[in-house]
Amino acid sequence: AYSGQYENQLRARRTLAWVFPVVFAIIFSVLIVTFRDVGEAAHVLLAVPFALTGGVLLQAWMGFNFSVAVWVGYIALFGTAIQTGVVMVVYLEEAVQRAQARLGRQRLTWDELMAAVKEGARLRLRPKVMTVATTIASLLPILWSSQAGAEVMKPLAAPVVGGSVSSLLHILVVTPVLFAWLRWRRWEKEGRNK
């Protein structure tokens, strides 16, 4: 029988195999309660695959195998990606509400909707870039470290750094586009049902 690190790795993999789906189900449920819309919740949850892309690419480039430390890094990354996705959607929603109040009607034209979405995305640009910059600045020294404990911390930091970059692109580019598309579809559906 194999024992030691290999046995611990197998045990951790079995645990993570059921923890990850449960965590995603809980996050998705909380997002549905928050936004009261399955489409918006799924839209925010899309931040996870985009963050995963950058994390996996940096992890592969640095040559780290999947270990418990790497999975812990991904869990931290997913939490950050979803949080910034929620904040971006809130900023976009507030910008649309301001435009609706300013124009005095609930339904905006496509151009008015796009202007409101751009305004909300611009407001979120600086905080998001600052969040990613501070995350990367705090973890880069760990990636170059050769001190005691670096063999555990490097695999943990790699997914967070790589995923933060790809998450930045998703939150600033993809999220506003999907938000505008979902909002426009909802208004068209409401218009057909009247």
Side-chain angles (χ1 to χ4, degrees):
Y2 291 100
S3 187
Q5 285 185 340
Y6 180 74
E7 187 179 36
N8 289 337
Q9 180 73 20
L10 289 178
R11 190 178 315 119
R13 186 174 293 157
R14 281 193 304 269
T15 302
L16 289 171
W18 66 267
V19 166
F20 262 81
V22 168
V23 167
F24 280 116
I26 292 170
I27 289 170
F28 190 61
S29 301
V30 170
L31 290 172
I32 289 172
V33 170
T34 301
F35 293 115
R36 293 183 212 99
D37 185 9
V38 174
E40 288 287 353
H43 166 221
V44 171
L45 205 59
L46 266 178
V48 172
F50 277 87
L52 183 65
T53 303
V56 167
L57 289 175
L58 186 59
Q59 176 192 344
W61 182 70
M62 296 190 76
F64 295 130
N65 295 322
F66 276 95
S67 65
V68 174
V70 169
W71 284 113
V72 169
Y74 280 114
I75 291 170
L77 171 65
F78 296 163
T80 304
I82 289 172
Q83 178 187 8
T84 56
V86 167
V87 173
M88 175 58 96
V89 170
V90 168
Y91 270 67
L92 297 174
E93 183 65 42
E94 288 175 354
V96 168
Q97 289 174 358
R98 280 193 303 274
Q100 289 170 330
R102 187 174 58 245
L103 296 168
R105 61 182 190 276
Q106 282 298 107
R107 183 154 183 202
L108 307 177
T109 66
W110 177 254
D111 291 335
E112 293 165 345
L113 175 62
M114 289 308 296
V117 167
K118 287 177 185 176
E119 175 194 334
R122 276 194 300 271
L123 287 173
R124 185 69 185 120
L125 175 66
R126 185 170 38 115
K128 177 60 181 167
V129 171
M130 287 174 58
T131 301
V132 169
T134 55
T135 300
I136 291 173
S138 65
L139 293 176
L140 275 180
I142 293 172
L143 290 176
W144 285 309
S145 176
S146 59
Q147 302 296 319
E151 66 278 354
V152 173
M153 294 306 293
K154 283 181 179 183
L156 192 144
V160 178
V161 170
S164 293
V165 173
S166 61
S167 174
L168 173 69
L169 297 173
H170 173 263
I171 296 299
L172 295 178
V173 177
V174 178
T175 297
V177 170
L178 286 176
F179 177 87
W181 180 72
L182 286 170
R183 184 53 48 93
W184 187 255
R185 280 193 53 190
R186 183 189 307 161
W187 286 342
E188 284 185 331
K189 187 177 179 182
E190 289 171 358
R192 283 194 301 266
N193 292 339
K194 286 184 179 179

